[in-house]
Amino acid sequence: MPLVETMGIRFTKEEPDCTEAVFSITDEWRQPYGFLHGGATISLLETVASRAAELRADPDTELPFGVTVEVRHHKSGRDGDVLGVAELDHEEPCRGGTKQFWNVAAYDDEGDIMSGGVIMTKVVSKAYLEQRQAEHEAASEVQAKE
């Protein structure tokens, strides 16, 4: 079962420059002291950034990948829903594709920020991935012969 389904994440806004989703704090997502586990919050934030990156990609020729997550936790939660928001900050061309920098934030039911930071994704052409795979296989063959 995909993580989105496992966590019960529900997308509320799906646009290429801003994507939002909600999930509910339940026992499965609490750490031993009864507060929301930071890893669950980060999973929500990476999910909204990845979905937005997917919306900016051509599914026939490109694939999105998460690259870095820099998130700071500000406030814990025990109950209620968590809203995750990813807004595109900027894009940069890079070898094989485009890096995207997403400002991300998680909010509690009162609208207070729980966690926030930046997630970088990379949209890579399938042709580039195939080229890299062929290079890797060629290098493995050379090593096997040595």
Side-chain angles (χ1 to χ4, degrees):
M1 176 181 290
L3 181 66
V4 171
E5 291 177 25
T6 300
M7 291 184 67
I9 294 174
R10 305 169 308 276
F11 288 98
T12 56
K13 179 179 181 180
E14 294 183 79
E15 296 177 6
D17 292 338
C18 182
T19 296
E20 300 178 1
V22 175
F23 88 104
S24 300
I25 300 173
T26 60
D27 286 340
E28 294 87 358
W29 312 119
R30 291 186 184 100
Q31 39 91 312
Y33 307 107
F35 293 96
L36 176 62
H37 193 287
T41 305
I42 290 172
S43 293
L44 172 66
L45 294 176
E46 188 161 3
T47 295
V48 291
S50 294
R51 178 63 181 138
E54 182 181 358
L55 292 171
R56 296 183 70 78
D58 176 353
D60 294 329
T61 62
E62 300 173 313
L63 293 174
F65 295 92
V67 178
T68 62
V69 175
E70 295 180 24
V71 171
R72 182 177 175 158
H73 301 296
H74 302 278
K75 179 182 177 184
S76 297
R78 289 185 183 263
D79 295 297
D81 289 337
V82 180
L83 170 67
V85 178
E87 295 178 313
L88 182 65
D89 183 83
H90 69 281
E91 294 182 315
E92 296 176 4
C94 64
R95 194 173 93 179
T98 304
K99 291 180 185 176
Q100 301 167 338
F101 295 82
W102 300 93
N103 294 319
V104 295
Y107 300 92
D108 63 15
D109 286 332
E110 289 86 41
D112 293 336
I113 191 164
M114 299 172 73
S115 302
V118 176
I119 292 179
M120 183 175 64
T121 58
K122 185 176 179 181
V123 174
V124 181
S125 74
K126 290 180 180 180
Y128 176 77
L129 292 173
E130 290 170 7
Q131 173 191 344
R132 297 287 294 170
Q133 181 64 32
E135 291 169 0
H136 176 73
E137 290 172 3
S140 294
E141 288 177 17
V142 169
Q143 287 179 347
K145 291 179 181 178
E146 293 178 351

PDB file of all heavy atoms in Angstrom, residues 138-146:
ATOM      1  N   ALA A 138      27.789  -0.712 -18.101  1.00  0.00           N
ATOM      2  CA  ALA A 138      29.066  -0.829 -18.804  1.00  0.00           C
ATOM      3  C   ALA A 138      30.222  -0.854 -17.804  1.00  0.00           C
ATOM      4  O   ALA A 138      31.154  -1.654 -17.943  1.00  0.00           O
ATOM      5  CB  ALA A 138      29.241   0.318 -19.801  1.00  0.00           C
ATOM      6  N   ALA A 139      30.156   0.002 -16.786  1.00  0.00           N
ATOM      7  CA  ALA A 139      31.199   0.032 -15.769  1.00  0.00           C
ATOM      8  C   ALA A 139      31.224  -1.273 -14.980  1.00  0.00           C
ATOM      9  O   ALA A 139      32.291  -1.784 -14.641  1.00  0.00           O
ATOM     10  CB  ALA A 139      30.993   1.222 -14.834  1.00  0.00           C
ATOM     11  N   SER A 140      30.073  -1.843 -14.708  1.00  0.00           N
ATOM     12  CA  SER A 140      29.998  -3.125 -13.978  1.00  0.00           C
ATOM     13  C   SER A 140      30.613  -4.249 -14.794  1.00  0.00           C
ATOM     14  O   SER A 140      31.280  -5.122 -14.244  1.00  0.00           O
ATOM     15  CB  SER A 140      28.537  -3.452 -13.643  1.00  0.00           C
ATOM     16  OG  SER A 140      28.020  -2.524 -12.740  1.00  0.00           O
ATOM     17  N   GLU A 141      30.381  -4.235 -16.111  1.00  0.00           N
ATOM     18  CA  GLU A 141      30.969  -5.246 -16.983  1.00  0.00           C
ATOM     19  C   GLU A 141      32.502  -5.153 -16.993  1.00  0.00           C
ATOM     20  O   GLU A 141      33.184  -6.167 -16.962  1.00  0.00           O
ATOM     21  CB  GLU A 141      30.429  -5.112 -18.411  1.00  0.00           C
ATOM     22  CG  GLU A 141      28.985  -5.545 -18.557  1.00  0.00           C
ATOM     23  CD  GLU A 141      28.455  -5.338 -19.963  1.00  0.00           C
ATOM     24  OE1 GLU A 141      29.263  -5.160 -20.906  1.00  0.00           O
ATOM     25  OE2 GLU A 141      27.214  -5.362 -20.114  1.00  0.00           O
ATOM     26  N   VAL A 142      33.023  -3.940 -17.024  1.00  0.00           N
ATOM     27  CA  VAL A 142      34.466  -3.749 -17.002  1.00  0.00           C
ATOM     28  C   VAL A 142      35.045  -4.259 -15.687  1.00  0.00           C
ATOM     29  O   VAL A 142      36.056  -4.953 -15.682  1.00  0.00           O
ATOM     30  CB  VAL A 142      34.825  -2.235 -17.215  1.00  0.00           C
ATOM     31  CG1 VAL A 142      36.277  -1.981 -16.922  1.00  0.00           C
ATOM     32  CG2 VAL A 142      34.460  -1.792 -18.617  1.00  0.00           C
ATOM     33  N   GLN A 143      34.386  -3.948 -14.573  1.00  0.00           N
ATOM     34  CA  GLN A 143      34.858  -4.417 -13.280  1.00  0.00           C
ATOM     35  C   GLN A 143      34.812  -5.928 -13.179  1.00  0.00           C
ATOM     36  O   GLN A 143      35.685  -6.559 -12.599  1.00  0.00           O
ATOM     37  CB  GLN A 143      34.025  -3.801 -12.159  1.00  0.00           C
ATOM     38  CG  GLN A 143      34.313  -2.345 -11.922  1.00  0.00           C
ATOM     39  CD  GLN A 143      33.455  -1.768 -10.808  1.00  0.00           C
ATOM     40  OE1 GLN A 143      32.485  -2.386 -10.366  1.00  0.00           O
ATOM     41  NE2 GLN A 143      33.814  -0.561 -10.385  1.00  0.00           N
ATOM     42  N   ALA A 144      33.785  -6.546 -13.765  1.00  0.00           N
ATOM     43  CA  ALA A 144      33.651  -7.994 -13.709  1.00  0.00           C
ATOM     44  C   ALA A 144      34.777  -8.688 -14.494  1.00  0.00           C
ATOM     45  O   ALA A 144      35.202  -9.790 -14.142  1.00  0.00           O
ATOM     46  CB  ALA A 144      32.296  -8.419 -14.262  1.00  0.00           C
ATOM     47  N   LYS A 145      35.266  -8.044 -15.552  1.00  0.00           N
ATOM     48  CA  LYS A 145      36.334  -8.620 -16.368  1.00  0.00           C
ATOM     49  C   LYS A 145      37.691  -8.479 -15.730  1.00  0.00           C
ATOM     50  O   LYS A 145      38.614  -9.208 -16.069  1.00  0.00           O
ATOM     51  CB  LYS A 145      36.333  -7.960 -17.749  1.00  0.00           C
ATOM     52  CG  LYS A 145      35.135  -8.321 -18.592  1.00  0.00           C
ATOM     53  CD  LYS A 145      35.175  -7.629 -19.927  1.00  0.00           C
ATOM     54  CE  LYS A 145      33.936  -7.985 -20.746  1.00  0.00           C
ATOM     55  NZ  LYS A 145      33.909  -7.295 -22.039  1.00  0.00           N
ATOM     56  N   GLU A 146      37.851  -7.545 -14.810  1.00  0.00           N
ATOM     57  CA  GLU A 146      39.156  -7.300 -14.180  1.00  0.00           C
ATOM     58  C   GLU A 146      39.483  -8.289 -13.120  1.00  0.00           C
ATOM     59  O   GLU A 146      38.907  -8.969 -12.494  1.00  0.00           O
ATOM     60  CB  GLU A 146      39.201  -5.878 -13.599  1.00  0.00           C
ATOM     61  CG  GLU A 146      39.152  -4.830 -14.668  1.00  0.00           C
ATOM     62  CD  GLU A 146      39.137  -3.425 -14.092  1.00  0.00           C
ATOM     63  OE1 GLU A 146      38.998  -3.234 -12.879  1.00  0.00           O
ATOM     64  OE2 GLU A 146      39.249  -2.492 -14.893  1.00  0.00           O
TER      65      GLU A 146
END
